[in-house]
Amino acid sequence: MNEGEKKVVSKMISIYCRSKHNQKNELCIECESLNNYALQRLERCPFGDDKPTCGTCTIHCYKRDMRQRIKEVMRFSGPRMLFAHPIEAIRHFNRERKRKK
Ligand code: SF4
Ligand SMILES: [Zn+2]
């Protein structure tokens, strides 16, 4: 399983929560459940190690409301990731780009 992607997802959610919900070091209940959900999805991803990033996935296994929420998080935190965690972010976006080609 791709631990790197799990970290990226969790970090994006915590950036989002910190800015939008004013939590300091822990996630609010809703973001916590989104985080658990996303990690569980990754855990069960049918693509295994050869998975695309969820952003470029053709199946997109999230259920509808969770998908909405994670999209919102990505939109908000994606660009901010570059400043907060440049190395992980670049690695992640590189994989995404490669996949799109
Ligand atoms: S969205 Fe796609 S890549 Fe992400 S966990 Fe679900 S099936 Fe796997
Ligand atoms: Zn939150």
Side-chain angles (χ1 to χ4, degrees), residues 9-96:
V9 170
S10 294
K11 278 181 181 150
M12 286 199 187
I13 294 171
S14 74
I15 289 171
Y16 180 86
C17 188
R18 233 180 285 147
S19 315
K20 298 266 186 184
H21 308 144
N22 282 319
Q23 301 273 324
K24 293 277 179 286
N25 289 316
E26 49 191 85
L27 298 177
C28 69
I29 296 172
E30 272 166 33
C31 293
E32 175 77 40
S33 77
L34 179 62
N35 186 52
N36 289 341
Y37 183 79
L39 295 185
Q40 181 217 73
R41 292 288 84 195
L42 283 172
E43 210 49 76
R44 297 185 190 163
C45 177
F47 294 105
D49 284 341
D50 192 33
K51 76 181 280 308
T53 57
C54 297
T56 55
C57 178
T58 45
I59 302 180
H60 221 294
C61 63
Y62 286 53
K63 60 182 186 198
R64 205 166 353 145
D65 59 322
M66 288 299 193
R67 186 172 168 170
Q68 259 345 88
R69 284 166 63 191
I70 200 78
K71 268 198 181 157
E72 161 98 30
V73 168
M74 301 277 162
R75 206 177 314 131
F76 179 85
S77 300
R80 286 167 178 80
M81 271 296 282
L82 273 176
F83 297 101
H85 307 283
I87 298 180
E88 275 131 8
I90 287 163
R91 244 186 240 141
H92 181 81
F93 295 126
N94 266 343
R95 283 179 61 219
E96 206 154 80

